[in-house]
Amino acid sequence: MSVKRIWKWMILAGVVLLALAVLIPIVVVQVSKAFTAQEQAARTDWTFSTGDVVAQSSQWQVDLTEADLGDGLKALQLVPQDIEDEDFSYYDEDVQERLYQTVQELKNNSDLEWTASMPLAILNPYGTGSNGLYLYFETDMATSVSYTVHVDGLTDFTAEAADASGKDYTKTHEFQLIGLVPGEVNEVTLNISGKWGNTRQTIHFTVDMPQTRSGYATQLKVTEGESAAAQAGGLFTMMRVNGYLGYGFFFDNDGVMRYEMVLEGFGLDRVLFCGDEILTCVSSSKLARINGLGQVTWVCDLGEYDLHHDIGWGADGEVLALAEERGNDTVEDRLLSIDTETGEVTELINFSTFLQEYYDITRPVSPSDDFFWQAGEQDWIHLNSLQYMPESDSVILSSRETSTILKVADLHGEPALDWLAGDERIWEGTAYEDACLTQVGDFVPQYGQHCVEYYADGEEEGVYYLSLYNNNYLSINSRDLELTVDDSVGRGLYGGEGDASQVYIYRIDENQRTFSLENSFDVPYSSIVSNGSLCGEDGNWTVNSGVAMVFGEYDSTGTLIREYAYECTMQNYRTFKYEMDIWFR
């Protein structure tokens, strides 16, 4: 081969390599952007398989179909006639009103007598829970209802039904039966008992429940821990499971799915309880209240904002929410107030102006940073949890990007930074370094933490305890700041041998302006997302390590009782355990 030809090939190879060097980062960023954009996507297909149409309500534009539940219980499904329209959503108050009125007409049909042995049964009447079964019937005397769901090969699920009336004993029974396992033949036993505890009637029926809408597994892999402590009651609630966005999954202590909540998109983030209803995220830009029957009673559209990471109760029944302004260069740096009566959305704090002197020294995420999938975004603070303090009208926030917990005082008056807790070197040389609490004791502070929650009152006013999930992962993507940290701190997204995250309990002393580590225990390593939260009355913990794809229940000493392995794409945001008293007595 001639020298001239060799040079041509070398030049061509150089051009190809240069092109690849330019194109690969662009492709990686674009693919990553498409991945993260799933969080803002809204469901466009609400249709589902069902049986033949048996009746129609022309007034409410709802088809009544026969639910395909096998040869056992005969049940209906309600199908809005506009379900295939482009802008249809079950999270629409008008749609919910039409479904509610259809249910009322069925209940009040004078030609039919609904009894325990022949109840009005509707599968997922309000479109929000694919395996929720609505039951309505009357009894001669005031009674209560409990039930057991049996599936071959699984532990029986037993619960006391919470009636929609709020009464423990009633002659008119209306509730949502929770616990039917998708894709299985469920044998149900209803026990109808009087006020003295005597069984007045026992009803048996089977339900051949269809598969999950999401395709998610109904049985998690369970590993026993070393603790023999009893588990708390309630259901584990998996939130924002990547690869399965637009659903919330509820699992029992044996790792069996008992409810699949169908959302408009995004994930739950957190469930707030308000009387006989829950309030939660149902898409990246909507909150909704849902009652125990699965009926959506209130929807709030956040307009120009997208939710991110947390919601919580604020002052006088308001909801506080972490969010970002859609289309803005900065992300995950807004605190909103939502009036639950009027639906009015107010931006309380834009942190890029609230902490402007710090914001000004940050930069956008670059393709070479650890969080390259956010390239171009100004994710300079990354707020990921909030805890309102009503006595002082203040809010405690967690910032992942700065590995800092911060408190803002006088939230509804003239908000002011009260303190910062974490590695104070991050704030050195900034206008806020004097706000740092002094670390007391020899311990490694938190890095990349999530889910900071109020744990307990302290010994005197101005002293209290906070719990948090310490991801124990340091990655700064908005500044060219290099910190030398303890060898125990993780530096890899997926970790390595010996890496661990922790549940931390901090003592905050505002009088002395200090923070100290009072207790901690190791949990599986997760560089991002995750939570460690109290559950039950005995001090147990529900801990989700999202990147490790496990959650577990730990006793009050931090010893594992049971661990559950799950499937997802990269990570599951949070798992809490709720008693769900909108469903159970």
Side-chain angles (χ1 to χ4, degrees), residues 10-28:
M10 290 178 67
I11 292 170
L12 179 60
V15 170
V16 170
L17 289 173
L18 180 62
L20 288 174
V22 173
L23 288 174
I24 287 175
I26 294 173
V27 172
V28 168

Side-chain angles (χ1 to χ4, degrees), residues 338-352:
I338 297 99
D339 187 316
T340 55
E341 294 297 324
T342 65
E344 181 181 1
V345 179
T346 303
E347 183 179 294
L348 292 179
I349 302 179
N350 175 350
F351 280 85
S352 65

Side-chain angles (χ1 to χ4, degrees), residues 227-366:
S227 176
Q231 290 188 263
L235 295 175
F236 294 107
T237 307
M238 296 178 65
M239 303 182 171
R240 199 145 40 98
V241 182
N242 268 16
Y244 300 89
L245 296 178
Y247 296 93
F249 303 122
F250 294 74
F251 285 86
D252 67 16
N253 283 342
D254 293 297
V256 178
M257 184 190 290
R258 296 298 175 176
Y259 194 69
E260 179 188 52
M261 186 174 287
V262 182
L263 308 172
E264 189 175 286
F266 195 52
L268 300 171
D269 273 359
R270 188 185 291 271
V271 175
L272 305 179
F273 292 82
C274 41
D276 60 353
E277 297 181 324
I278 59 172
L279 189 151
T280 192
C281 319
V282 296
S283 78
S284 66
S285 60
K286 282 184 183 179
L287 297 174
R289 281 201 305 260
I290 307 170
N291 67 22
L293 301 178
Q295 179 189 0
V296 179
T297 62
W298 176 82
V299 178
C300 177
D301 192 314
L302 301 182
E304 61 186 343
Y305 297 102
D306 281 316
L307 296 161
H308 242 295
H309 287 100
D310 210 2
I311 60 173
W313 292 119
D316 302 321
E318 72 172 341
V319 170
L320 298 177
L322 298 177
E324 61 189 31
E325 186 178 5
R326 198 173 304 122
N328 198 280
D329 290 337
T330 66
V331 297
E332 303 179 37
D333 63 350
R334 307 298 172 94
L335 178 62
L336 308 180
S337 168
I338 297 99
D339 187 316
T340 55
E341 294 297 324
T342 65
E344 181 181 1
V345 179
T346 303
E347 183 179 294
L348 292 179
I349 302 179
N350 175 350
F351 280 85
S352 65
T353 56
F354 183 75
L355 298 176
Q356 184 169 349
E357 288 86 348
Y358 184 83
Y359 168 72
D360 286 344
I361 66 172
T362 64
R363 59 165 174 78
V365 180
S366 77

Side-chain angles (χ1 to χ4, degrees), residues 270 384-387 396-398 405 446 449-456 464-470 502-508 516-521 530-535 540-543 574 576:
R270 188 185 291 271
N384 61 28
S385 76
L386 66 88
Q387 174 70 67
I396 293 174
L397 301 153
S398 168
I405 304 167
Q446 82 283 354
Q449 78 291 329
H450 283 73
C451 205
V452 178
E453 298 178 306
Y454 194 85
Y455 178 74
Y464 49 90
Y465 295 84
L466 300 175
S467 64
L468 59 135
Y469 185 99
N470 174 27
Q502 294 86 28
V503 171
Y504 269 13
I505 298 175
Y506 276 159
R507 181 180 187 269
I508 305 295
S516 56
L517 181 63
E518 295 301 301
N519 201 359
S520 70
F521 58 91
S530 310
N531 68 291
S533 305
L534 288 171
C535 64
N540 286 6
W541 295 87
T542 300
V543 180
R574 284 174 168 173
F576 291 105

Side-chain angles (χ1 to χ4, degrees), residues 458-463 509 511:
E459 303 77 26
E460 58 181 300
E461 187 175 349
V463 177
D509 187 337
N511 304 318

Side-chain angles (χ1 to χ4, degrees), residues 6 28 30 62 112 128 188 250 262 299 311-312 362 369 405 436 491 557 583:
I6 291 173
V28 168
Q30 292 304 314
V62 173
L112 298 170
T128 58
V188 179
F250 294 74
V262 182
V299 178
I311 60 173
T362 64
D369 285 324
I405 304 167
C436 292
R491 300 307 294 261
T557 70
W583 294 334

